[in-house]
Each structure stands twice: as C-alpha cells, then as structure tokens.
Amino acid sequence: MRQADRWRHTAAAYMQVFVISLYKWLLRRLFCRRCGLTLPAIFFIVRTEWGEVAQSVSVFPEKQIFRRVFMFGGIHDLNIDSKGRLAVPAKFRDLLLRKYTPALVATLESRERLLLYPESVWEQEAQRLMAANVAGNAKLSAWRDLLLNNAEVMEMDAAGRILLPAGLRRKVMLDKEVSLTGRVNRLELWDREKFHAKDDAALDIDPEELDFELGQIGFQL
C-alpha cells in the first residue's frame, strides 16, 4: 500500500473515532443528563490493515441503562383531617419538589394500604403494568386492573397537603390515624394500628429462624 493510501486510511479511522465520540457526548448532553441516566461505556479498538491506531467508546452499550432513584425512607404517624386531607411531611415534600414533581398518584393493590407514587415514577410503573403478559390469567389481569383503574393524581396545595380520594380511603379502611412510610421510590399509607402491628410482628421473628430463611434465598445482612 502506498504511503498516501495509508495516510488516507489513518485519517478515516481517526475521523470515525471523532464522530462516535461526538455522538456519545451529544447523547449524554441532550438525553442522559436530563433524564438522570447513566450510559455504561464499552471500549473497542479501531483497526486498520496494519494494526491498531485508536481507541474509542461505543454509544450502543450492551449493559442495561439504569435510572437513578432518589429514595424515600422513614415512618411518620399522621392524622387525616375532617376534609380528607393529609399533610405531607417536609422531608418527603422536599424530595418531591427537588427531584420529582409536586403531584402524587394514589392507587392500591390490596386492602392493607394505599400506594403513593411521584407522578413521573407512576408513569414508568404504569408502562410496566401495561406491558406485563397477563393474558389468560384472570387473577393477574384483575390485579393489574385494580392498580391501573384506581390510580388518581393528587396535587399538593400551598400548605403541602394532598386530598386523599374518598373511594380509595374506604377500600383500605383509612379513618384518621395513619402511618406514612417511605419505600425507596414510593410512599405507602397505612392504618396506624395495622402498620405498627405489622412492624411488631417483624421484630418478634426468631433471629435464628430469620437467618435460616435469609440463607435459603442467598441473602445475608
């Protein structure tokens, strides 16, 4: 191969690296940062006929793209007022305003509790539910419909309160005294007495029995 051809091929290889790197930078700039996503990198070698000349990063990773989750945590014993409103604790309210949206979506999947999702998180969960293959399974289909059909958006007022849907409150028998708990990407609203009874029951589990059960699933604290 003539020297001129070698220079031409080398220039083409470096141009390929530059274009891919620019495309990757634009993806991160315009997509990943806005959505809070991390784009895992896969390295590859650009080769010419006479050997390796450059290294770059693929913009089409084989690994899953993970979404950053801003976690809710903690337990708050609260009271629902006479109008069915609940004051969202400042800790949860601040996280909603900073990392999500002020709106919450309430739904239920059992008679024990209400599930409260940030609106953006619920959109993802609803898509997962719609994509679930429940055809031919009446129980799973009914459970999915329960979650989707009962979902209601609740906007926080200026005082940080949400108006709980009366129909949902009746279905899970929430009166006045409740416990609001954080569970990673959502909140859960329980009858206070039922929630603390559940917690007490968990605390009373025999430690040796618990260690055995955890070992059965390969989990260790």
Side-chain angles (χ1 to χ4, degrees), residues 37-218:
L37 299 178
T38 300
L39 188 64
I42 292 179
F43 292 87
F44 69 96
I45 302 297
V46 176
R47 301 176 186 274
T48 67
E49 293 181 1
W50 56 91
E52 300 172 358
V53 297
Q55 181 170 292
S56 186
V57 183
S58 171
V59 295
F60 300 109
E62 296 175 353
K63 295 183 179 179
Q64 181 181 358
I65 294 177
F66 294 96
R67 179 173 295 274
R68 183 183 302 172
V69 177
F70 300 99
M71 294 190 297
F72 294 97
I75 302 166
H76 298 265
D77 289 337
L78 306 168
N79 291 322
I80 299 173
D81 70 15
S82 58
K83 296 182 179 180
R85 298 174 301 188
L86 182 74
V88 179
K91 174 182 173 182
F92 294 154
R93 189 167 66 243
D94 180 60
L95 184 55
L96 285 167
L97 294 173
R98 286 190 299 108
K99 302 300 183 182
Y100 295 105
T101 61
L104 284 166
V105 176
T107 189
L108 75 165
E109 34 108 60
S110 72
R111 292 190 183 277
E112 288 188 326
R113 61 195 174 182
L114 289 183
L115 308 180
L116 311 180
Y117 288 92
E119 193 170 19
S120 58
V121 175
W122 172 249
E123 290 173 358
Q124 300 166 38
E125 294 299 317
Q127 290 175 6
R128 289 179 59 231
L129 287 166
M130 290 297 293
N133 182 15
V134 298
N137 191 317
K139 290 182 179 179
L140 288 180
S141 181
W143 177 81
R144 182 180 68 176
D145 291 346
L146 181 69
L147 278 157
L148 293 173
N149 296 344
N150 284 282
E152 293 197 40
V153 178
M154 305 175 297
E155 299 281 352
M156 275 195 293
D157 63 17
R161 297 170 301 190
I162 52 175
L163 179 62
L164 297 169
L168 292 181
R169 284 180 59 196
R170 283 195 298 270
K171 288 178 180 178
V172 296
M173 294 176 285
L174 293 180
D175 189 12
K176 181 179 179 181
E177 296 184 340
V178 294
S179 292
L180 183 66
T181 71
R183 191 178 177 92
V184 186
N185 69 339
R186 74 185 187 206
L187 303 174
E188 296 181 357
L189 190 63
W190 291 72
D191 172 82
R192 189 185 302 176
E193 185 176 347
K194 288 182 180 178
F195 178 80
H196 288 292
K198 178 181 74 73
D199 255 16
D200 289 341
L203 289 170
D204 290 337
I205 296 174
D206 181 80
E208 292 184 0
E209 181 182 345
L210 180 60
D211 284 343
F212 174 78
E213 296 293 341
L214 289 174
Q216 294 293 102
I217 62 171

Side-chain angles (χ1 to χ4, degrees), residues 1-26:
M1 182 181 290
R2 294 182 303 174
Q3 186 68 24
D5 291 333
R6 290 191 175 185
W7 280 110
R8 187 166 59 254
H9 282 286
T10 301
Y14 277 108
M15 181 58 70
Q16 178 186 2
V17 171
F18 172 78
V19 170
I20 292 174
S21 298
L22 179 62
Y23 186 32
K24 171 179 168 288
W25 179 84
L26 287 172

